[in-house]
Amino acid sequence: MDTNGGVTTTERDLARLLHLLADETGATGEFDRLGEDLAGEGDGELVALTLTRAARIRGLLADRKRREREMQALLDTASDLASVREVDAALDAIVARARRLLGTDAAYMALVDPETGDAYMRVTLGTITRPIESLRQPAGYGVGGWVAQEGRPFATANYLRDDRIRRKHSVASAVAEDGIMSILGVPMRVGAEVIGVLFGANRDERTFAQSEIDLLGSLADHAAIVLENARLFAATKATAEELTVANDQLARHNKALGPRRPTNS
């Protein structure tokens, strides 16, 4: 082994490797090159142990950075929604952020019809055919219908081959026409009620990680808040209008009666 002032090449490479980790730049090409060089030198158990621990630390740092990005994205979403007045614009923004954060080919949102329980498309992004943009899924069918009925996330790496899914022919045809293969759906809840489903979808097989399911679930929570606030606002506005009408009717009634005449005692 080459030495330089009593320090071996292996020791220098190990020191450099640890420096990269301390700088949180372990994802660089230099880290990979040093790891390959050290593994090839075969200096025994110490090198092997150091490489194993370095790889673990590198993974933990990458996971921390991912969580930080996701948290910032959720904070940004909350900030964005505070400044968005239109419901449609807010829902569009959530679907767009879901697609970007998950890195999926498409993302979309379905709402649950309170009368039938069907899940029907409200927002689509990244879809390329018309049929999928107007899907309506009965409760218990497909990913959306299952999530709406069960109130739990559902992920499939291959929608058309997954034996767990009950498929309507028209829906399966629309999914196939759009090229969608892997789908993740999470519930949008108001209390115990599922009011919609938020989706991420890819045109190749993909196994969604739990962290991705959790992230999409957080965005679904934001969407549910938007819709519930819109419902409450509409209800408050309707009540105010009813009170205005009632007050106008009362005023007209009092005017028709005319002023009261004093009675003789």
Side-chain angles (χ1 to χ4, degrees), residues 56-73:
R56 181 172 180 271
I57 293 171
R58 182 189 188 192
L60 291 173
L61 290 173
D63 188 57
R64 190 188 74 180
K65 286 184 177 180
R66 176 188 57 76
R67 291 198 303 271
E68 288 175 350
R69 288 195 301 269
E70 292 174 354
M71 182 59 66
Q72 186 58 53

Side-chain angles (χ1 to χ4, degrees), residues 164-220:
R164 298 173 299 166
I165 300 173
R166 298 171 65 191
R167 286 175 286 270
K168 285 188 64 179
H169 177 72
S170 59
V171 175
S173 296
V175 171
E177 183 179 347
D178 204 79
I180 296 297
M181 184 172 292
S182 52
I183 304 175
L184 166 63
V186 297
M188 295 159 46
R189 292 179 172 278
V190 173
E193 181 185 3
V194 178
I195 64 170
V197 183
L198 185 61
F199 301 86
N202 257 20
R203 294 189 174 88
D204 55 10
E205 288 199 5
R206 172 174 175 175
T207 299
F208 291 95
Q210 185 60 47
S211 60
E212 294 173 318
I213 297 173
D214 294 340
L215 174 60
L216 193 62
S218 296
L219 291 171

